[in-house]
Amino acid sequence: MAFPNRRSLDHIPVELQDQRLPGAISGQSPDYEETLEASQSPSVTQNERRAILIVVASFALTFTGCGLNFAFGVYQELYESMGGPFENVSPAAIDLIGTLAVSIMTIGAPVASSWTKAYSPRSVVLIGGLLLGLGNILASFGNQLWHFILTQGLLVGMGTSLSYIPAVTVSPGWFDKRRGLAMGVVSSGTGVGGVCWAPALRALNAKIGFCNTLRLTGVVGFVMIGVAGLVLKWDPDSERRNEIEYPRNSGGFRKVRIPLVDWRIARSRTFVAQAVGATLQSAAYYTPVYFFSAYSRTLGYTAAAGANFIAASNASSAGGKVALGWFADRFGRLNTLLACTLISAAITLGLWLPSTLTGVTESHGKGLFVAFAITYGIFAGSYISLFPTALVEIFGVQNFASVNGFLYMVRGFGTLAGTPAAGALIKSRSHMSISTLQAASAYERTAILIGALLAAATLAVLWVRMEAAGTKLKA
């Protein structure tokens, strides 16, 4: 792999280039797949097996934590239609529950990644599973909106952060040549989780009530995350670097330091462009996911069909992450990231927005929305899996943990600002009582905002690509 080339390193100071691992400049980190081809020693085979187990465990972690977050649309639609704690509460206020969870998931990235380096990934993940389970169980006893914000939002977000960030931070170090594919598999857990959790949660809510569903989810989530966390482990080279960075004292305690991005990297144009693109994309990304079910009801679909839309979008996202991860390994990870962001903007403005317009017939509006739900899952979802692989490509394995943690935190703040703002643009639920087309038009301004944010994110990713690789075809 030739990327990053010398031109792509011009924005990074010579001192930092020299600090990279051997092979990082050519886009290579310790590659157990290639080593296996050169040697069939037992230790190499063991490393390959461990790499596969890491991918499986990381998939399970994203399946559980992120999958539940991506299925929040089921609760969004349910909470909007029920009284009690949600009487006279706007969709934007309810959306704050899910938005807070997914925002904390990434805002906590610097802390989660530093703890994962200072202590074992499995310890951090076990704490995350405990918090996620506790958040869901406590939410089942809530009787005011703020109870759900603190439990199903804040606590679940903290738990997801401490399970998701270790998964996406540890996994890339085990791969190089197939890193895009590996991270596609890991990130596809989010989509597969959404496929399974959305209809399951909707069925359980109808059968045993949402309070018991939350309690059951808390227990199952804790068990699944705990078991997967027992497998998670750093690759040998990263483990050695962590031992140097976080030496144990005589009591076995390690002083935790939040990994700061080197200022010489942080002030580079490439880093700034990547931060801008990450913020804009995250500000837009989660709004359609959370409102799939509620919006489908405005088109005349049932609650069950709404849950199925969430599942279908997540299924397409899972398949897209794996397929586009494979594609990225062969045709360039930044190229694929740019294409995914561009197509996401195009389908939002070309499919979702037209379905909200009052001049569109009901059947045509439904057809546009179905196409949007599937294609948005494929291309917008794939940004999530390609994002960390692009960071390794540009900044090297050596700087990945600090850069990844900071940019995930930036993404979290983007989500926290963008998703509630988009939700606030949805007109009053009183529109639900009138015709289908008028009800769907309540989302018109939201669709315009999401499309504009994704278009701006596309320009930022194009900026990243030009700074990192110039006119080089494969990047």
Side-chain angles (χ1 to χ4, degrees):
M1 187 184 305
F3 176 78
N5 62 9
R6 172 51 55 185
R7 175 185 175 88
S8 72
L9 298 174
D10 289 342
H11 63 284
I12 298 178
V14 174
E15 298 93 331
L16 293 179
Q17 297 175 22
D18 295 338
Q19 290 172 10
R20 295 178 172 212
L21 291 175
I25 289 178
S26 63
Q28 295 181 351
S29 62
D31 188 348
Y32 300 107
E33 302 156 294
E34 292 181 350
T35 307
L36 181 67
E37 295 171 1
S39 170
Q40 294 296 323
S41 65
S43 62
V44 172
T45 303
Q46 183 179 5
N47 281 332
E48 186 188 52
R49 291 171 180 168
R50 170 62 68 175
I52 294 173
L53 286 175
I54 295 298
V55 168
V56 173
S58 299
F59 172 89
L61 291 172
T62 58
F63 172 91
T64 308
C66 300
L68 281 170
N69 278 338
F70 274 64
F72 179 77
V74 173
Y75 287 108
Q76 176 79 33
E77 189 274 329
L78 174 68
Y79 293 165
E80 285 186 33
S81 64
M82 64 184 291
F86 308 102
E87 189 72 37
N88 299 320
V89 175
S90 68
I94 295 173
D95 175 61
L96 184 60
I97 301 170
T99 298
L100 187 60
V102 78
S103 299
I104 295 298
M105 178 182 78
T106 52
I107 288 174
V111 175
S113 62
S114 65
W115 285 356
T116 303
K117 293 173 70 176
Y119 302 100
S120 67
R122 62 191 63 172
S123 300
V124 176
V125 169
L126 285 173
I127 295 173
L130 179 63
L131 290 176
L132 182 140
L134 187 63
N136 278 285
I137 293 171
L138 290 178
S140 69
F141 298 100
N143 51 36
Q144 295 185 47
L145 176 63
W146 68 269
H147 295 165
F148 291 88
I149 291 174
L150 290 181
T151 55
Q152 199 176 6
L154 181 62
L155 272 180
V156 169
M158 292 169 61
T160 306
S161 180
L162 294 179
S163 55
Y164 169 68
I165 296 301
V168 297
T169 303
V170 169
S171 299
W174 290 92
F175 296 89
D176 174 41
K177 186 172 63 176
R178 299 181 180 89
R179 186 181 293 129
L181 177 60
M183 292 307 294
V185 173
V186 171
S187 297
S188 71
T190 301
V192 176
V195 170
C196 299
W197 287 113
L201 291 175
R202 193 244 164 216
L204 287 170
N205 285 335
K207 189 174 182 63
I208 64 176
F210 84 96
C211 291
N212 287 327
T213 299
L214 285 168
R215 293 164 194 154
L216 180 61
T217 300
V219 174
V220 173
F222 169 70
V223 172
M224 294 181 67
I225 289 175
V227 171
L230 294 175
V231 180
L232 214 58
K233 180 181 174 65
W234 287 105
D235 63 278
D237 284 343
S238 295
E239 185 73 37
R240 285 190 289 270
R241 289 197 301 272
N242 294 340
E243 288 289 343
I244 296 172
E245 185 177 357
Y246 294 96
R248 295 183 185 273
N249 62 20
S250 57
F253 176 76
R254 292 182 173 186
K255 183 179 179 180
V256 177
R257 300 181 300 274
I258 303 299
L260 300 177
V261 180
D262 190 289
W263 174 244
R264 292 166 293 183
I265 290 179
R267 64 189 175 92
S268 68
R269 291 193 301 270
T270 305
F271 183 85
V272 172
Q274 190 73 287
V276 170
T279 303
L280 291 169
Q281 200 275 346
S282 63
Y285 175 57
Y286 292 99
T287 298
V289 175
Y290 282 171
F291 285 99
F292 272 143
S293 183
Y295 178 69
S296 69
R297 297 295 300 275
T298 70
L299 295 174
Y301 289 104
T302 64
N308 290 336
F309 275 117
I310 298 174
S313 181
N314 279 300
S316 64
S317 175
K321 287 172 180 175
V322 176
L324 290 172
W326 176 89
F327 185 89
D329 286 337
R330 283 151 181 78
F331 299 100
R333 290 154 189 166
L334 276 177
N335 290 339
T336 311
L337 187 71
L338 175 60
C340 287
T341 315
L342 174 62
I343 295 173
S344 299
I347 60 179
T348 300
L349 296 173
L351 296 176
W352 189 25
L353 177 58
S355 76
T356 68
L357 302 179
T358 53
V360 178
T361 64
E362 181 175 338
S363 60
H364 188 43
K366 286 183 174 181
L368 289 170
F369 177 64
V370 171
F372 170 71
I374 300 300
T375 53
Y376 188 83
I378 294 173
F379 294 103
S382 294
Y383 181 100
I384 307 302
S385 61
L386 293 170
F387 183 69
T389 65
L391 298 184
V392 175
E393 290 288 315
I394 298 169
F395 303 108
V397 175
Q398 200 87 332
N399 301 300
F400 174 70
S402 61
V403 171
N404 185 61
F406 180 85
L407 290 180
Y408 265 103
M409 179 181 70
V410 167
R411 284 183 56 80
F413 284 119
T415 302
L416 194 58
T419 306
L425 292 176
I426 298 172
K427 296 176 183 177
S428 170
R429 283 180 292 176
S430 62
H431 286 73
M432 299 295 200
S433 61
I434 53 182
S435 73
T436 296
L437 294 179
Q438 288 176 305
S441 68
Y443 288 78
E444 180 181 346
R445 294 180 299 176
T446 297
I448 293 172
L449 175 62
I450 299 306
L453 287 171
L454 289 172
T458 301
L459 295 177
V461 176
L462 176 61
W463 181 17
V464 173
R465 198 243 181 258
M466 296 304 296
E467 289 289 342
T471 58
K472 191 172 183 293
L473 291 180
K474 182 178 179 180

